[in-house]
Amino acid sequence: MAHFAKIGIGNIVEKVEVVSNNIATTEQAGVDFLRNLYNDQNAQWFQTSYNNNIRKNFAGIDYTYDQARDAFIEPKPFNSWTLNETTCNWESPVVKPDDGQNYVWNEENQQWNLI
């Protein structure tokens, strides 16, 4: 199955649709199918992938499509986080501990708190 994200005002993802691989034999074929299905020839649809091999990240509602990076970027989770230009994922200013325990980011103290 192929997945496509509909882009709205401000390059924000409005919806994600699934199209059969028999129909979406190319990205353009999938776009054409969705434009005809919704009777909207001006709609902007872009293919996305769970494998993150198309446009960096799988698109979700409220993600931004960044045309310059040709990538889907999730909403910024915290003001202190920065965008990794290679992965187009947000990163905390402090690396999350990798000890098998569960942590939550504390924006006020700029640290990971054990849950």
Side-chain angles (χ1 to χ4, degrees), residues 32-110:
D32 292 343
F33 171 79
L34 290 164
R35 285 178 174 168
N36 289 329
L37 178 68
Y38 288 104
N39 195 28
D40 185 353
Q41 297 306 308
N42 296 317
Q44 291 189 51
W45 291 92
F46 292 93
Q47 193 166 5
T48 186
S49 170
Y50 275 114
N51 301 324
N52 295 335
N53 58 1
I54 301 174
R55 301 192 168 94
K56 305 287 186 182
N57 301 296
F58 184 77
I61 304 299
D62 292 332
Y63 277 46
T64 299
Y65 174 65
D66 185 309
Q67 291 179 329
R69 295 178 179 97
D70 191 26
F72 291 107
I73 302 172
E74 70 178 314
K76 189 173 185 176
F78 299 98
N79 286 334
S80 64
W81 290 32
T82 57
L83 187 66
N84 178 313
E85 293 292 333
T86 303
T87 64
C88 289
N89 288 314
W90 296 104
E91 294 181 350
S92 62
V94 176
V95 177
K96 185 177 180 179
D98 186 20
D99 58 8
Q101 298 190 61
N102 292 318
Y103 291 86
V104 63
W105 179 251
N106 182 322
E107 181 70 3
E108 184 177 329
N109 296 327
Q110 300 284 298

